Amino acid sequence: MTGDHQTLALLLFGAFVAGTLAITTWVSRHRRGSAEEFYTGGRLFSPLENGFAIAGDYMSAASFLGISGLIALHGYDGMLYSVGFLVAWLVVLFLVAELVRNCGRFTLADVVAARMRERPVRIAAGTSSVAVSVLYLVAQMVGAGSLVALLLGGTGEATRSWTVIGVGALMVVYVSLGGMRATTWIQIVKAVMLMAGAVALTVLVLLRFHGDVNHLLTAAAERSGHGMDFLAPGLKYGGGWTARLDFVSLGLALVLGTAGLPHILSRFYTVPTARAARRSVVWAIGLIGSFYLMTIVLGFGAAAIVGTREVRASNAAGNTAVPLLALDLGGGAGTTGGAVLFAVVAAVAFATILAVVAGITLASSVSVAHDLYASLKRPDGRRRFGKRQGGKRRDGSYRDEERRDGERRFGEVAVARIAAVGVGAVAIALGLLARDLNVAFLVGLAFAVAASANLPVLLYSLFWRNFTTRGAVWSVYGGLVPAVLLVLLSPVVSGSPEALFPGVDFQLFPLQNPGLVSIPLGFLAGWLGTVTSPEAPDEAGHAETEVRALTGAGAA
């Protein structure tokens, strides 16, 4: 890219950043300062607005950059991510969205702790939520580094490192100043920009091949270097039993992980009713489904127009396939059209990253404040939807305890802002470490941890009458610990040239994605903890949970 073209792209970057900072500043001046305002935006968003925000939260750098790159490199096998990410929303729609909105208030832990002893359950669920969020954040940081390094014409470590640090600083500003309302509007703006950019690129790809999809696929196969094998299963996941099991493991993680993502679950609390939450998901599915269909066209288009070898030469993980495709569609390197289209796509991708990291950082900081910090400040008793069943004051009054809860939430907001800084620092450090990995692959790991630690405890809490506190805690840690441990002992971290630490080898687990093992372990641990628990299940609490989940009676 020439200096003028780089200047144009940087100006577009600057315009988006300035716009989002203006939104954040405006919201910070008009918010009431309550926990409900900071955590949920006052529950004032319509289903359409929340549907766009959910889509903006979900369609991350992994979707726009990573999936298209994987398809450009691996053809048919790369489409697993597109299909898995989309199918996952059926699980969310039918099993989670409305029930979570009725039973919770701010976080996943609210749903689980409704009929359990609060402190151990909140600490477990909060720890898991932060772990998933940090893994997801790392993927966005890696995408930002790859994108800006390509834009500036340098792939040096310094350029990418400063980009990651800059993105981390911006996300802390968005969350600490604007809360959920600013984050939601940033996601809505980003979703509109991303859909418009994806539609424009898809149309240009199809026009290049005169609308002939068969010609597009044939050209992609020819330029891939793999021939027609590029269009058949097995190029990435067909090398042996390990690769095939990795395929199954990744599919399980993608389909089941979405329902356990903290930043997605928190979006159901930003609408006034459970019906609005369900309608939000319907809007989101329409937007997300259309987008993932377009990523397939863009991935094969990059292989056919740019070439698989050229994509890999630019970025070994394929993260720059879409920007390179835009450059070619606009007229090629050195042309004004190519530079403009490249700059627009780069700005859209950058907007995608900023919006998603803001949402994830907010969800993780809320978990730290509302679950981890607050659990240490309140008595360890059962809470039956706002009325504490334990930790009673000496005079027997619950009303004073509820007033104290309200006052404490103002302190939680301050803790949440501080937590945003801490989460941002951790994400920056890990993003610098993992800068050479594919962003879609990194998100697959986050999905595996979410499906292993969060989904089992959520489903058990909603549907199993005999579920106990020990079962909830064991379910979370029984999925979280094996998932993280198996990733550390997998080829992702050591024992292969593409690993985080290629010079050492302590690999013991052969699969790159732990979902096939860790997801069943999460469900098994929850069952085992429950059946061995000396604590009697709270059947009355389950009945109340069931009524509230299905009817919304008494929902916040």
Side-chain angles (χ1 to χ4, degrees):
M1 298 289 289
T2 66
D4 291 341
H5 298 156
Q6 289 177 2
T7 302
L8 174 62
L10 289 173
L11 285 174
L12 290 174
F13 277 4
F16 178 80
V17 170
T20 52
L21 288 175
I23 293 173
T24 302
T25 303
W26 180 81
V27 168
S28 67
R29 291 177 177 175
H30 292 80
R31 57 181 170 80
R32 295 188 300 271
S34 66
E36 187 171 48
E37 173 77 17
F38 187 82
Y39 294 165
T40 67
R43 309 185 198 277
L44 299 175
F45 293 100
S46 69
L48 176 61
E49 292 169 343
N50 198 44
F52 268 88
I54 290 173
D57 225 346
Y58 194 69
M59 297 184 302
S60 64
S63 304
F64 194 49
L65 302 177
I67 294 177
S68 300
L70 284 174
I71 294 174
L73 296 181
H74 305 291
Y76 182 96
D77 281 7
M79 289 196 301
L80 172 63
Y81 286 87
S82 291
V83 175
F85 282 147
L86 177 56
V87 173
W89 278 97
L90 298 179
V91 177
V92 176
L93 177 62
F94 291 115
L95 288 181
V96 173
E98 186 172 357
L99 304 183
V100 166
R101 174 61 185 82
N102 283 338
C103 291
R105 184 171 179 79
F106 300 128
T107 65
L108 165 69
D110 289 338
V111 180
V112 180
R115 58 190 179 99
M116 310 288 179
R117 284 189 296 113
E118 285 197 78
R119 184 173 296 164
V121 171
R122 286 191 179 276
I123 290 175
T127 301
S128 173
S129 295
V130 172
V132 173
S133 298
V134 168
L135 273 175
Y136 211 119
L137 278 173
V138 171
Q140 313 309 314
M141 298 296 193
V142 171
S146 299
L147 181 68
V148 176
L150 176 66
L151 171 68
L152 298 179
T155 56
E157 293 185 2
T159 302
R160 300 172 70 178
S161 298
W162 281 110
T163 301
V164 169
I165 294 170
V167 170
L170 281 172
M171 76 183 183
V172 170
V173 171
Y174 291 148
V175 172
S176 58
L177 290 182
M180 178 60 82
R181 185 170 295 184
T183 301
T184 299
W185 281 111
I186 291 170
Q187 288 160 346
I188 292 171
V189 172
K190 166 256 173 154
V192 173
M193 292 175 60
L194 183 60
M195 289 297 293
V199 168
L201 286 180
T202 301
V203 170
L204 290 174
V205 169
L206 293 176
L207 287 176
R208 177 71 66 93
F209 294 93
H210 307 289
D212 188 345
V213 176
N214 186 58
H215 184 200
L216 166 63
L217 296 177
T218 303
E222 290 174 354
R223 294 206 61 184
S224 69
H226 300 286
M228 296 309 292
D229 290 341
F230 191 69
L231 305 179
L235 193 61
K236 180 175 176 60
Y237 296 108
W241 68 268
T242 302
R244 295 174 191 272
L245 288 178
D246 239 333
F247 182 87
V248 176
S249 186
L250 177 62
L252 280 175
L254 295 181
V255 171
L256 299 178
T258 299
L261 292 175
H263 66 291
I264 296 297
L265 294 176
S266 66
R267 292 240 56 91
F268 301 139
Y269 301 125
T270 62
V271 289
T273 65
R275 182 171 181 267
R278 187 173 63 250
R279 290 173 60 196
S280 298
V281 175
V282 173
W283 276 107
I285 288 176
L287 293 167
I288 292 167
S290 303
F291 175 76
Y292 282 120
L293 288 176
M294 289 187 285
T295 61
I296 296 174
V297 176
L298 297 180
F300 283 112
I305 297 172
V306 179
T308 298
R309 180 178 300 175
E310 287 76 10
V311 170
R312 184 174 283 109
S314 172
N315 183 273
N319 295 329
T320 55
V322 172
L324 291 175
L325 174 64
L327 183 64
D328 196 293
L329 289 172
T335 65
T336 301
V340 170
L341 193 56
F342 177 93
V344 169
V345 168
V348 168
F350 195 66
T352 296
I353 292 166
L354 288 179
V356 172
V357 297
I360 302 169
T361 305
L362 177 63
S364 56
S365 63
V366 170
S367 291
V368 171
H370 184 63
D371 298 330
L372 299 179
Y373 169 77
S375 66
L376 301 176
K377 304 293 287 185
R378 60 166 66 95
D380 183 20
R382 295 175 184 268
R383 178 184 292 276
R384 185 76 55 77
F385 294 119
K387 295 182 179 179
R388 187 173 302 287
Q389 305 301 308
K392 185 186 290 188
R393 292 175 58 83
R394 289 182 179 179
D395 62 0
S397 171
Y398 290 105
R399 183 172 301 172
D400 190 55
E401 176 65 30
E402 291 173 3
R403 179 182 61 79
R404 285 174 173 269
D405 279 354
E407 293 172 352
R408 192 156 46 224
R409 289 196 185 105
F410 287 96
E412 287 181 19
V413 173
V415 174
R417 293 195 177 100
I418 297 171
V421 178
V423 170
V426 173
I428 288 170
L430 292 176
L432 295 175
L433 188 65
R435 55 181 172 266
D436 293 324
L437 295 181
N438 181 275
V439 289
F441 170 74
L442 286 170
V443 166
L445 296 181
F447 273 59
V449 177
S452 304
N454 291 347
L455 183 64
V457 71
L458 179 60
L459 295 183
Y460 278 147
S461 298
L462 291 173
F463 299 110
W464 191 9
R465 181 180 301 275
N466 295 326
F467 198 44
T468 64
T469 299
R470 176 187 284 185
V473 174
W474 283 25
S475 181
V476 173
Y477 292 129
L480 176 64
V481 174
V484 174
L485 186 62
L486 291 176
V487 169
L488 293 176
L489 299 177
S490 73
V492 176
V493 176
S494 70
S496 68
E498 298 83 16
L500 288 179
F501 304 106
V504 296
D505 186 0
F506 47 86
Q507 172 194 338
L508 297 176
F509 182 66
L511 304 183
Q512 292 187 333
N513 191 291
L516 187 62
V517 176
S518 58
I519 294 173
L521 284 178
F523 282 99
L524 178 62
W527 172 82
L528 188 62
T530 298
V531 299
T532 62
S533 175
E535 172 188 4
D538 185 359
E539 295 189 5
H542 173 76
E544 188 173 352
T545 301
E546 191 172 36
V547 170
R548 181 168 179 169
L550 295 176
T551 66

